[in-house]
Amino acid sequence: MLRFLPQKNKYIVEESEFSFSKELPIPKHIAIIMDGNGRWAQNRRLPRVAGHKEGMETVKKITKHASKLGVKVLTLYAFSTENWKRPNEEVNFLMQLPVDFFDTFVPELKKENVRVEVMGYKEFLPKHTQEAVERAMEETKNNTGLILNFALNYGSRAEIITAIQSLYTQLQANQGNINEITEDTFADYLMTGFLPTDLRDPELVIRTSGEERISNFLLWQIAYSELFFTRAFWPDFDEQALENAIASYQNRDRRFGAVKNEEESV
Ligand code: IPE
Ligand code: IPE
Ligand code: MG
């Protein structure tokens, strides 16, 4: 399957080797590093923030499609703890986006039975952003369909340190023993700890824009995730692109360190 993607004033051809199948397993948890908004805008001689605005439309499209496909958790990296380094106007725009997004999209999310969650250091967000986030979470809290989980002011190294600090405080209070810390108890203290245990780790991580790095996203949780990189900028990512990523996942051989077929091994 061929897709033509506009990039740097020319079209690039992106080839998908695999076809998406409804019969094969769909990842329960998909996490996406939504990258390339700025470059999408710059290619059109628009300000970077125009890319963020357009990217918001992609979020709506992809949320609806993931929900339709039966994905249980969609984690979207919206703002990292490192993104504060950007110019003030861009940061201000990015902090206003959730307000606009939730104002226009929560009624539809309610209809789709989608529950909104936000993980990250929310206490450092501006008041209007915090309020929009709290409102969206409150209004959708009883929904039982897709969990739309935004990583907002999220950084995984900080997340790990915060988890260690909480665990240490807890252990001291209960006069507990260091051996009580296991992989499972540790995972309870991470920001994905609110999810049921079988949904915490994404099976599939997608990054758009051609960059092939993790940028401080879910470091613990992606230990065995399948990674998918596409050259599409986030505003150009669409339903077909999501299905291509899932198709790639469906054709991976996930071994988790074991051998595929024990009888074949000597
Ligand atoms: C992703 O797009 C959105 C955020 C990080 C908030 P970018 O803004 O990083 O776009 P590029 O990578 O500069 O093109
Ligand atoms: C990662 O993208 C963060 C988000 C998508 C929110 P960046 O654009 O900030 O990452 P780097 O700087 O290219 O690593
Ligand atoms: Mg970027």
Side-chain angles (χ1 to χ4, degrees):
M1 205 179 304
L2 297 178
R3 297 183 77 235
F4 295 90
L5 298 168
Q7 207 139 6
K8 279 234 160 86
N9 304 321
K10 63 176 170 47
Y11 279 82
I12 58 149
V13 180
E14 208 174 48
E15 212 170 326
S16 170
E17 271 177 81
F18 308 108
S19 316
F20 168 76
S21 161
K22 284 205 167 111
E23 316 309 320
L24 292 169
I26 303 277
K28 295 195 293 286
H29 182 171
I30 299 179
I32 308 184
I33 304 173
M34 310 184 287
D35 199 16
N37 292 348
R39 280 164 284 165
W40 179 91
Q42 280 163 342
N43 281 351
R44 286 166 175 70
R45 301 186 198 289
L46 295 169
R48 290 177 52 82
V49 296
H52 297 315
K53 190 154 182 276
E54 193 62 28
M56 190 168 88
E57 299 309 315
T58 307
V59 172
K60 295 180 182 174
K61 225 185 320 192
I62 294 306
T63 300
K64 282 193 265 185
H65 202 56
S67 164
K68 194 175 132 207
L69 294 176
V71 173
K72 299 209 177 325
V73 182
L74 179 66
T75 296
L76 301 178
Y77 203 6
F79 192 90
S80 77
T81 44
E82 287 71 39
N83 287 145
W84 297 105
K85 294 176 195 160
R86 297 187 178 201
N88 272 343
E89 308 89 85
E90 185 172 344
V91 169
N92 290 342
F93 190 92
L94 287 167
M95 289 301 144
Q96 178 60 33
L97 262 194
V99 183
D100 300 341
F101 176 82
F102 291 128
D103 274 356
T104 56
F105 199 44
V106 164
E108 213 168 321
L109 290 174
K110 280 187 183 164
K111 259 191 266 159
E112 299 261 342
N113 197 23
V114 173
R115 177 177 133 205
V116 175
E117 287 287 346
V118 177
M119 61 174 198
Y121 294 92
K122 284 178 258 187
E123 61 277 26
F124 296 108
L125 299 173
K127 195 124 207 297
H128 64 286
T129 317
Q130 282 187 40
E131 285 168 358
V133 157
E134 294 304 332
R135 229 176 12 247
M137 287 170 59
E138 177 61 31
E139 285 184 35
T140 61
K141 69 174 182 205
N142 295 322
N143 291 351
T144 53
L146 173 77
I147 298 173
L148 174 59
N149 179 34
F150 286 97
L152 195 57
N153 194 22
Y154 171 88
S156 198
R157 284 191 168 182
E159 171 194 39
I160 289 169
I161 296 300
T162 303
I164 293 170
Q165 289 169 338
S166 311
L167 252 174
Y168 179 75
T169 311
Q170 189 74 22
L171 270 186
Q172 274 198 322
N174 302 338
Q175 299 189 333
N177 187 288
I178 190 90
N179 298 321
E180 288 169 34
I181 305 178
T182 64
E183 290 188 11
D184 289 341
T185 56
F186 182 69
D188 288 342
Y189 286 81
L190 294 171
M191 288 179 180
T192 41
F194 75 92
L195 290 166
T197 46
D198 65 323
L199 294 180
R200 288 175 181 174
D201 299 344
E203 289 91 346
L204 173 65
V205 176
I206 300 170
R207 183 170 187 147
T208 57
S209 90
E211 308 298 351
E212 300 189 354
R213 57 175 169 264
I214 295 300
S215 303
N216 205 12
F217 190 45
L218 303 174
L219 299 178
W220 171 277
Q221 297 88 337
I222 63 169
Y224 268 105
S225 302
E226 297 301 324
L227 308 179
F228 182 86
F229 300 101
T230 168
R231 285 169 75 183
F233 293 135
W234 178 246
D236 290 324
F237 194 80
D238 58 12
E239 292 88 346
Q240 160 95 73
L242 179 66
E243 290 187 6
N244 285 351
I246 297 174
S248 170
Y249 167 84
Q250 290 176 328
N251 283 277
R252 307 275 176 103
D253 182 13
R254 306 190 79 200
R255 290 188 289 274
F256 301 98
V259 284
K260 193 179 171 193
N261 183 344
E262 278 182 44
E263 279 153 32
E264 276 175 18
S265 63
V266 182

